[in-house]
Amino acid sequence: MALLVFNPGSMVASFPLVLLHFIVICVTLHCNYLVATEMSPRPNIVLILTDDLDVSIGGMIPLIKTKKLIGDAGITFTNAFVASPLCCPSRASILTGKYPHNHHVVNNTLEGNCSSTAWQKSQEPDSFPAFLQKRGSYQTFFAGKYLNEYGNKKAGGVEHVPLGWDHWFALERNSKYYNYTLSINGRAQQHGQNYSQDYLTDVLANVSIDFLENKSNRRPFFMMVSTPAPHSPWTAAPQYESSFSNVKAPRDPNFNIHGKDKHWLIRQAKTPMSNSSVEFLDSAYRKRWRTLLSVDDLVEKLLRKLEVRGELSNTYVIFTSDNGYHTGQFSLPMDKRQLYEFDIRVPLLARGPNIKPNQTSSLLIANVDLAPTILDIAGYNTNETQMDGMSFLPIMTGAGNSSSWRSDILVEYEGEGKNVSDPTCPLLGPGVSECFPDCVCEDAFNNTYACVRTVSAAVNLQYCEFDDNEVFVEVYNLTSDPFQLSNIAKSIDQEELEKMNHRLMMLQSCSGWFRFDPRFMFESLVPHRTTHRQTLK
């Protein structure tokens, strides 16, 4: 065997020819691997989350650029719903991929587990950003509203940076546009009321652009931008303060009518609403739209920056909301928290690699599906998690079988009410909250319900059950009654109601999802009865 001499000039000559060929092959393969890795990195992911953005009463109309840049360039889901129509429980579902009965966030208070120390210990370690960070392949960035009680001094203050985030720019507490505090990687930063420096939607756009310019190019990134808009106090940017001056809340068939066959909280609403109430909600509707124009600008800035950097073609961009909203439906002035379409249905648009443009999907998507979808994009095996949702990546890219997709989801809400009577509404007694003039209250302790929302080629239905003394039930056939004007619970056979109740109990008691044929529950509404299938994930 030839002697190996450590002289650069004679090293090659000292190697046996076979060994030299082996080294050349190895070096070549390694270089090719590096080139392939550089050319085909994991896709980047951007999640844009709005606050209280409806889709049922026109919330997407002002977002012209968003619809063009994301929806028209990719896919729009027309049946996207939230697991709970309230900010903190819904955001917890987005982060964990779990239904509220599994992540235990029931309302927007610290006592309701919203960003509590218990949440931080039990759920944040299993959130999808924590999974992304554990693997180390993704650099993670958050900007905006996190959970309503984030920054509460009783739960670590703004010094607490949740697991999973490399770059953290989080709003203290609830949505604001001016005069707020941000946690910048655990350090408080105060903001005032100077538009050019402090308007929160624009600040989020600017810090997101800064991240894109300064991040490492060696690893893919996940970015979550969570805007305050269109949540109250509906403060528009100066250039948009006069927009939509003639717009009014839509006068749909369920606008300003009495919900005669609904839960008592809906029945107590005054109908018709007073002229002052209608004027107030019309004004709020316009203001909500005005705040969305800055969101539209944010989306445009982000996508332009990605395009300039040559990263847009390898980036999934998802746009959605934490819950819907209502303005005058069933004579309820304005809020969310109800089981109806206007509160639980949200926009969901996505674009990215292998997603063909101008697609529309009517498949049933829930916000518990966002976390497993993002992990799927990142290359995780979501079966190794405890998430209730399903990845809709195969649906977006056309790689999945839509016929095997689920046909129902769970919606849960636990009502809030005060232990003392509202001084402006003493006749209603204790237990109500979110009360407007004329003693119209949007919530109560027994506004606690769970629903099965079913969408398939055959049926479009909702079954809801209240946790109160009445065990009040509401059922809607949305094919024939899209505005949910008629509760058909009393006209359905008792046997079928029992099947619906059984299905609801299964969803509420289990972790994971079920596949089944909804026509088994609603056999009187379709021509044929089929076999009942259920599969626990």
Side-chain angles (χ1 to χ4, degrees):
M1 178 177 286
L3 179 65
L4 180 62
V5 180
F6 292 96
N7 182 330
S10 62
M11 183 180 292
V12 173
S14 302
F15 272 104
L17 189 58
V18 174
L19 184 58
L20 179 60
H21 285 173
F22 176 76
I23 292 173
V24 171
I25 292 170
C26 288
V27 170
T28 303
L29 289 174
H30 180 66
C31 290
N32 289 342
Y33 171 76
L34 290 178
V35 170
T37 301
E38 191 69 25
M39 293 178 62
S40 305
R42 278 281 174 194
N44 307 306
I45 310 165
V46 176
L47 174 62
I48 301 170
L49 179 65
T50 52
D51 197 348
D52 286 3
L53 176 58
D54 67 274
V55 72
S56 294
I57 59 171
M60 287 297 295
I61 293 175
L63 294 163
I64 296 172
K65 292 180 283 191
T66 299
K67 288 185 288 185
K68 179 181 179 181
L69 293 171
I70 304 178
D72 292 352
I75 187 168
T76 299
F77 291 94
T78 58
N79 284 311
F81 294 88
V82 295
S84 187
L86 188 64
C87 298
C88 205
S90 178
R91 289 165 181 266
S93 288
I94 291 171
L95 290 165
T96 63
K98 298 177 182 178
Y99 285 120
H101 70 267
N102 284 326
H103 63 57
H104 308 298
V105 177
V106 297
N107 57 44
N108 290 341
T109 68
L110 205 62
E111 295 74 21
N113 204 29
C114 180
S115 201
S116 66
T117 53
W119 154 268
Q120 294 168 14
K121 292 177 182 178
S122 65
Q123 300 301 322
E124 281 184 346
D126 291 329
S127 66
F128 76 83
F131 281 108
L132 291 177
Q133 193 182 59
K134 283 177 187 176
R135 177 169 287 186
S137 57
Y138 274 76
Q139 47 195 320
T140 56
F141 169 91
F142 181 88
K145 177 179 174 180
Y146 180 60
L147 300 174
N148 296 57
E149 284 296 325
Y150 172 75
N152 191 314
K153 292 182 179 179
K154 295 180 180 178
V158 296
E159 293 78 18
H160 171 68
V161 177
L163 290 172
W165 302 105
D166 300 316
H167 307 273
W168 181 251
F169 297 82
L171 175 68
E172 179 189 36
R173 301 297 184 91
N174 206 359
S175 286
K176 291 184 178 181
Y177 298 82
Y178 293 111
N179 301 312
Y180 55 85
T181 300
L182 288 180
S183 170
I184 311 298
N185 296 317
R187 300 184 65 179
Q189 182 184 86
Q190 306 294 328
H191 283 261
Q193 202 160 347
N194 183 319
Y195 168 69
S196 63
Q197 299 176 0
D198 302 313
Y199 189 69
L200 182 55
T201 307
D202 291 353
V203 169
L204 299 182
N206 293 336
V207 298
S208 299
I209 297 298
D210 289 344
F211 167 74
L212 292 176
E213 290 179 342
N214 298 303
K215 66 178 176 60
S216 169
N217 293 324
R218 296 180 180 178
R219 293 189 295 155
F221 66 85
F222 169 74
M223 170 187 288
M224 183 171 178
V225 184
S226 181
T227 73
H231 195 286
S232 61
W234 315 306
T235 310
Q239 67 269 30
Y240 298 133
E241 287 177 346
S242 300
S243 301
F244 310 120
S245 58
N246 296 320
V247 167
K248 294 182 178 181
R251 268 53 171 175
D252 290 332
N254 55 13
F255 178 83
N256 199 14
I257 67 166
H258 188 245
K260 59 183 183 302
D261 56 5
K262 293 172 171 49
H263 179 54
W264 78 269
L265 188 63
I266 310 302
R267 297 197 303 266
Q268 56 85 38
K270 302 294 189 300
T271 306
M273 294 182 287
S274 65
N275 290 337
S276 60
S277 293
V278 174
E279 290 172 3
F280 176 69
L281 66 86
D282 279 339
S283 174
Y285 192 88
R286 288 190 289 272
K287 291 177 180 177
R288 283 166 52 80
W289 272 24
R290 291 166 182 161
T291 67
L292 288 171
L293 294 176
S294 293
V295 175
D296 217 25
D297 292 340
L298 177 151
V299 171
E300 182 183 40
K301 290 175 185 176
L302 281 180
L303 269 67
R304 278 184 176 175
K305 175 59 68 173
L306 288 167
E307 187 172 26
V308 167
R309 291 180 55 83
E311 295 177 309
L312 184 57
S313 62
N314 195 40
T315 301
Y316 286 92
V317 183
I318 303 171
F319 179 92
T320 190
S321 176
D322 59 358
N323 49 255
Y325 207 71
H326 60 259
T327 51
Q329 284 66 39
F330 301 125
S331 299
L332 297 173
M334 62 185 66
D335 196 48
K336 47 260 184 169
R337 307 168 202 260
Q338 306 304 330
L339 58 89
Y340 309 104
E341 294 288 282
F342 39 75
D343 285 356
I344 66 173
R345 185 188 288 267
V346 292
L348 179 60
L349 291 65
R351 63 170 292 168
N354 301 315
I355 300 179
K356 295 179 181 179
N358 297 307
Q359 290 189 79
T360 300
S361 173
S362 61
L363 294 177
L364 183 61
I365 307 294
N367 63 351
V368 295
D369 299 330
L370 288 167
T373 300
I374 290 168
L375 291 181
D376 193 9
I377 293 171
Y380 264 86
N381 180 359
T382 56
N383 291 326
E384 296 176 0
T385 72
Q386 296 299 312
M387 294 179 177
D388 301 321
M390 302 164 57
S391 170
F392 54 87
L393 177 61
I395 302 300
M396 295 194 292
T397 61
N401 182 2
S402 60
S403 63
S404 64
W405 189 254
R406 70 141 88 80
S407 57
D408 67 335
I409 58 166
L410 177 68
V411 179
E412 303 173 292
Y413 179 70
E414 184 168 323
E416 294 182 76
K418 299 175 182 177
N419 292 328
V420 296
S421 298
D422 189 304
T424 62
C425 307
L427 295 179
L428 290 178
V432 295
S433 63
E434 308 297 323
C435 295
F436 283 81
D438 300 325
C439 294
V440 179
C441 299
E442 294 274 4
D443 207 2
F445 74 92
N446 65 349
N447 182 38
T448 297
Y449 57 82
C451 305
V452 179
R453 184 67 178 87
T454 301
V455 176
S456 74
V459 290
N460 186 6
L461 297 149
Q462 184 180 29
Y463 169 83
C464 300
E465 202 173 279
F466 282 82
D467 183 13
D468 58 13
N469 292 335
E470 294 181 273
V471 192
F472 195 80
V473 174
E474 297 188 32
V475 181
Y476 298 97
N477 182 347
L478 285 101
T479 301
S480 59
D481 181 21
F483 294 99
Q484 296 170 292
L485 302 176
S486 300
N487 177 9
I488 60 174
K490 294 183 179 179
S491 63
I492 292 181
D493 291 341
Q494 183 64 32
E495 181 182 353
E496 292 187 11
L497 280 175
E498 289 174 359
K499 292 173 184 174
M500 299 177 202
N501 170 264
H502 177 65
R503 173 65 186 143
L504 181 61
M505 287 192 296
M506 286 195 299
L507 277 170
Q508 281 192 293
S509 63
C510 295
S511 173
W513 51 270
F514 292 83
R515 289 197 188 110
F516 84 118
D517 191 325
R519 291 173 294 180
F520 180 76
M521 289 199 323
F522 301 96
E523 57 186 11
S524 66
L525 303 176
V526 292
H528 300 290
R529 177 171 176 171
T530 58
T531 303
H532 186 206
R533 291 188 299 113
Q534 58 188 46
T535 305
L536 179 62
K537 181 182 176 183

